[in-house]
Amino acid sequence: MERDSGPEGVRRALGRLLEAVLASRGQANAVFDVLAVLQSEDHEETQEAVRACSRLFGALLERGELFVGSLPSEDAVMAGSQGATRKYKVWMRHRYRSCLNRLQELLVHPSFEVKELALSTLMKFVQLEGARPLEKPKWDGYYLFPRQLFKAVVEGLLSPEDDCSLLLARFREYLEHDDIRYHTMQAATDTVGRVTDRHPEVPLTFWNNAFTLLSSVSLPSQERGISSFYVKHGELPRTWKVVHLKEHRKAFQGMWLGFLKHKLPLSLYKKVLVIMHDSILPHLAQPSLMIDFLTRAYDVGGAISLLALNGLFILIHQHNLEYPDFYRKLYGLLDPSVFHVKYRARFFHLADLFLSSSHLPAYLVAAFAKRLSRLALTAPPEALLMVLPFICNLLRRHPACRVLVHRPLGHELDADPYDPEEEDPAKSRALESSLWELQALQQHYHPEVSQAASVINQALSVPEVSIAPLLELTAFEVFERDLKKKGQGSVPLEFIPARGLLGRQDDFCAQHFTLS
Amino acid sequence: MGKARLAAARTRGAGAPAGAQGGRARPNPNPFEVKVNRQKFPVLGRKARHAVGQPGVSRARAVHKRTQTLLKEYKERDKSNVFTDKRFGEYSSTMSPEEKMMKRFALEQQRQHEKKSIYNLNEDEELTHYGQSLADIEKHNDIVDSDSDTEERGTLSAELTAAHFGGGGGLLHKKTPQQQGEEGEKPRSRRELIEELIAKSKQEKRERQAQREGALELTEKLDQDWKEIQTLLTHRTPKSENRDKKERPKPDAYDMMVRELGFEMKAQPSNRMKSEEELAKEEQERLQQLEAARLRRMRGEDEGSEARKPKHLSADDLNDGFVLDKDDRRLLSYTDGKMSIEEEQSGEASDGESEEEQGEDLSEEDPENSSDPDGHSDLESDMDSEEDCGRPSGEPRQALGEGTTSIGHRAQEAARNQLPYTFAAPESYEELKSLLSGRTREEQLVVVERIQTCNHPSLAVGNKAKLEKLFGFLLEYIGDLATDDPPNLRVIDKLVVQLYNLCQMFPDSASDSIKFVLRDAMHEMEGAIEARGRAAFPGLDVLMYLKIAGMLFPTSDLWHPVVTPALVCMSQLLTKCPVLSLQDVVKGLFVCCVFLDYVSLSRRFIPELVNFLLGILYIASPNKCGRGYTLVHPFRASGKNSELLVVSDEEDKATWQRRGLSLHWAYRLKAQNKTEANHTSRAWVGRQLHVDVVYISPKPSGAKCPVGSAAVFRTMTLSAQGHGAAVLPNTTLLSCLAVCLALVKGCTQFYSSLPSFYAIVRPLRALLMEHLAGRSHPPELQELCQSALANLEEPEPRCRPLVCAKSKPEPLKLFTPRLVKVLEFGRKQGSSKQEQERRRLIHKHKREFKGAVREIRRDNQFLARMQLSETLERDAERKRKVKQLFNSLATQEGEWKALKRKKFKK
């Protein structure tokens, strides 16, 4: 074969070869040339070869010129005395297989274009094979899906070495189809199990890839939704599993449980927990199976516990989970960092839900209120603007706790009876205390905070203040609000004339800093 | 049309009740004609308006009225000619004829006396005598025109009359018989008579004419004479005119002087010069007033009530705050530069002194530094100013006299003289920068000053806007200076005064500018937080802006349009920016200082500040046990930065002396972090920081720098094993720690009165105990620790349980009925006045409408009746006529038949 230089030449040469092979079976050996280009180092050439293969084998599949059934070994057939057609078909099928192997290898190619092209070609083969199966059906109406091929694709996607997030994003388009999704779930379960078995130390990239794939699987919420199939079939018998949402759910559950039973890296834990409540739990066939995972996460502490709360809440609320010492643990979660973490809004939203029951004992609510107001002494203004109404709401809901802000017949105390170190809210003696912290916050430098803290000076009004709009408040919003506010009259001015940057002698700045 | 007629009819009916309703006054004797509207039950207070009706009478009246009006119109319906009798009162039945005549006469008189022209004031009633105007008669000059026949006028001679009309003349009477007798005989005599008569009359006419001409001549002569006399009489007035003419041309010098003196502005009595004590007292009063206003704002009391307006605003006021008031004049006196000169001089003077004192140190300096004596002297001056803390602030002014010869002053003088005197206000930031770039500090100041004075708002209209812009440009310039390499803090220091002055003149635009730069800084930080979850400490410019905002505006207000956002901004800096390097520590501590200065008067609580100080103490603590405190966000209990401030070099500790942190630090280290290039950092260490080394530790810092300390401090200078590098950071670390401890002390002083003080400072106390327990600090620091701890160790005040303010007792429910004023019975109550009025009008309209419909119906009925009666009448007439005809025909027939019968009989 003469080789032209450049991708253009390669393309023309490949086109000629392609026509030759498709035109007559005698020219079949030209396939080797095509497959050779597939091994090329040059990206452009590889792409051309992939396209050529796609067209070639696509056409052959359409024509049914590939051997159907379990493939005998090449040498045996060649040596045997079967008909030339059969020999040709077996031979071609072997070429097809080697092409597939090469395409799988290309899935981890450094160039994204090549990867993408390989993926789409493989998916095209999946579609064609599904329409004209290369296996013989075991019985009439047996559902045939090119499982082997598809599993190989998924395995290629979940590479332990390379970050495939871009390719996975491309693959997400195929996940729209119900059959692809179903088989992806099965293949992913399989692959995760195999990889974790094989490697004692599973690399982080694999986990990330796996999570990306798993999290992009989203089930439809209704049975009727299952109607789009990648591999077209005339009619779908009810016996096929792909048709039923229940089967999908089972596969989904198996996939996630198989994934989560392994020891995951910490960052992945957070990611899983973040999507747990709205993408995973509702689609599980049996959500209570997540209990183990969630309780373990809740025990980890810190931000992970905060995130696990959401999933736990759904289990408690909708699936009758009995969780001993739930409130005690929640109480333990309250430390100064809750005002600074990213998930502050989510946490306080849930805490509001948990503490909304009017059947909670007064000592518990009092302990929470006291703890929160203690923590408020270290909080930034945007968090204070949220937590102060939160505390006041607690007091409103539980009139028994109003003694915290109104104890007309109380004696003077030597010290605050509240014990901040105590982990058990029952023993913290919060009910004997008062919320002096809020009184201190009335001296806060931000006027809105001090105003919010001054609410306790009067008898609390009956209706609760909705904290929902305050949950997502950021310091920047507070800043913008302050900037936009207009005072009446002109801006008040400092009357002591400035003498210089560090002009005033009694300033801290002037005392501790020098200009040079 | 019907309506209009009805209305007319109604008014007429109302107008003439006396005659028509005469019968109503007497009680109707016939009980059958009375209809009683029975009431079902009596209602108190209601007036029954139509209790009794007389249907017969009212129907008769209505019919009568219709015959008067409607019927008349009906009868005249096809007639185009209308006879209108406009005589006054012709149809009025109430007037007697005499009255009518009198009234008509009076009207006629009035019509005559109507003024012909409203502008003619003299027009009076014209009096007449026998129809002749008295004024005409009185004129007497009944001039007879020559060509008109005067004979026809009223004064005819008797002869003429007799001759013409033949009446009354005795002669003629006598003659008539003669004439009758001798008519035929003497016809000529009559002709002669007539001719004679004509001649006579002609002669008479001529005579009269001559007489009249004579009279005319006489009057003319008289006029002439009168004119002559008149000139004699009025000779005085021309004389006075002449005198005026004479005076004008020659103004007397003396007079002029007198006038001038008279009109000259008298010196206004002014306030006497005030003595020093009085001035001081006034100043004190002013300050007290301002302080009271500040306190009010701090407590957040109503600002509107105390916002004072200028007492009087002139119409020419430019509203630029330029008021020639006493107070303002004081403030404005800064703009002419005097005040700043004094400042400058005092500073420079102390510089001079310090230079002498520290002269021996110069030899040890780096070559580069010694080549820049000014910078060096600045350093010293700051040391001095530190020591000067106790000195009263008034002293610098006294130093004015002594410092006149100082170098700085001379430099400024030179600058003043060299620079042009007028500058156009810069229109853009680039312009300002080009004006200021390349000039020395003093020159820059002078330029800014002169821009201000040249463009004072009182000088031209657009100057206000120019100066407002100048504020923004200066602010930007300061930001640039702060981010320069090296930051030019000295210039900023001086420019602040200018900023303050501008801010006093234009508070609103100044606050807008500062808000703008703060918003910029926050935007940048917000972007970083969005992207990475955390933000780096901003550059020195933002810190400068924050500091300047605190100097221009009162920081103690409960709410202030600039200060409150600045506070939020600082809170963000302290909570969102992780402390990764020593430079971050310095910046953070500076922000802490500014923050604490902001609340130094109002003593407000800043949680972030306590957290940050806790974090700094933590990273400076060598042996952490971690009990009794929890770190808050930007700090982590473990990690590579958790020992950032730990000092382990004993020697450094021994030689450390307490002194101020340099603001340059905040910048320098940043540059080093940015470049990350080892050689740069080494060069930096060698070049820049060595200066400090020399001052801080007089002993030449050794090459025996322990590797350990450098390792501890690896985040700062990984490659700082060069000579002296490690010593310097260590001392700086200790200085940072000292500042931190001082801030802790300040905090505890401020917040000791807060209710939960103990809970707030508990973590601080735990950490301080750790520090003390370590006993690893220099003695001075130990002392500082002790004193800070002493404040914290105060016994917790007794806690009084919280009690809500007593709310107003709720009033008991009372059972007295609610009283509602009933305005009108039978009406819907409780609606508003407008609604009631509307309802009333609607009701009225409805009633009127119904009434009108009824009237129209009745009219139609009446007309129909009339038409019917007409038709009947016509029919009857016709019948009658037909009958008559038949009768006559029958008679004729009868006669004819009788005649025929007669014939037959014959």
Side-chain angles (χ1 to χ4, degrees), chain A residues 210-432:
Chain A
F211 176 74
T212 318
L213 180 63
L214 263 58
S215 60
S216 50
V217 172
S218 63
L219 290 189
S221 51
Q222 285 177 332
E223 184 102 13
R224 261 177 292 143
I226 297 186
S227 56
S228 83
F229 292 98
Y230 187 62
V231 178
K232 300 285 182 254
H233 293 280
E235 64 178 284
L236 295 160
R238 302 295 301 164
T239 49
W240 290 7
K241 283 186 173 177
V242 215
V243 191
H244 300 291
L245 183 64
K246 210 169 80 184
E247 296 298 329
H248 279 263
R249 288 197 163 170
K250 259 187 203 162
F252 186 77
Q253 176 175 320
M255 172 180 77
W256 275 111
L257 287 179
F259 180 69
L260 292 179
K261 76 182 175 197
H262 303 291
K263 188 164 166 37
L264 300 177
L266 217 57
S267 60
L268 214 55
Y269 246 121
K270 280 188 193 169
K271 282 186 191 166
V272 171
L273 286 171
V274 165
I275 63 163
M276 175 66 85
H277 69 285
D278 59 16
S279 324
I280 303 179
L281 274 181
H283 298 306
L284 292 183
Q286 216 180 337
S288 47
L289 289 178
M290 276 291 166
I291 287 175
D292 279 339
F293 173 74
L294 286 174
T295 47
R296 234 180 322 135
Y298 192 41
D299 290 340
V300 169
I304 292 184
S305 299
L306 293 186
L307 290 171
L309 261 184
N310 214 335
L312 269 186
F313 170 70
I314 291 177
L315 290 184
I316 293 172
H317 182 62
Q318 293 167 2
H319 301 285
N320 270 339
L321 173 67
E322 188 74 20
Y323 194 92
D325 283 345
F326 177 77
Y327 282 100
R328 188 173 161 173
K329 276 189 179 160
L330 186 65
Y331 183 72
L333 281 182
L334 295 177
D335 67 352
S337 65
V338 288
F339 294 122
H340 299 274
V341 289
K342 233 194 301 181
Y343 316 108
R344 186 187 73 200
R346 185 194 279 235
F347 174 73
F348 276 96
H349 169 69
L350 288 173
D352 195 34
L353 276 182
F354 295 142
L355 294 173
S356 61
S357 162
S358 55
H359 297 294
L360 293 177
Y363 75 85
L364 187 74
V365 177
F368 271 99
K370 181 73 185 171
R371 181 82 171 230
L372 280 174
S373 46
R374 238 333 134 74
L375 298 182
L377 287 178
T378 64
E382 69 270 15
L384 282 174
L385 285 178
M386 183 266 301
V387 80
L388 290 176
F390 188 92
I391 294 170
C392 291
N393 277 355
L394 285 185
L395 299 181
R396 284 188 185 110
R397 267 175 224 157
H398 302 274
C401 294
R402 295 212 177 157
V403 286
L404 288 180
V405 290
H406 181 61
R407 199 191 300 272
L409 302 174
H411 304 286
E412 248 183 33
L413 304 166
D414 285 334
D416 194 345
Y418 173 71
D419 183 5
E421 309 289 335
E422 177 60 51
E423 285 177 8
D424 188 356
K427 292 176 189 157
S428 64
R429 299 176 67 201
L431 259 186
E432 299 165 36

Side-chain angles (χ1 to χ4, degrees), chain B residues 499-522:
Chain B
L499 278 186
Y500 179 81
N501 293 335
L502 280 173
C503 181
Q504 293 286 330
M505 288 162 85
F506 315 110
D508 289 324
S509 66
S511 72
D512 283 346
S513 305
I514 294 217
K515 275 187 203 171
F516 183 75
V517 291
L518 286 182
R519 186 194 297 249
D520 255 11
M522 279 296 273

Side-chain angles (χ1 to χ4, degrees), chain A residues 413-414 475 499 501 514 516, chain B residues 343 379 493 572 662 664 798:
Chain A
L413 304 166
D414 285 334
R499 292 255 185 72
L501 208 50
T514 60
S516 49
Chain B
E343 295 275 345
L379 273 180
D493 187 31
Q572 281 287 286
S662 161
H664 279 269
R798 295 174 67 77

Side-chain angles (χ1 to χ4, degrees), chain B residues 204-218:
Chain B
E204 221 171 307
K205 196 177 177 180
R206 235 174 281 129
E207 273 171 16
R208 259 206 318 275
Q209 213 160 4
Q211 202 179 350
R212 207 179 62 212
E213 274 167 11
L216 265 176
E217 241 169 63
L218 275 177

Side-chain angles (χ1 to χ4, degrees), chain B residues 284 309 814:
Chain B
Q284 197 188 355
K309 285 178 184 164
L814 298 176

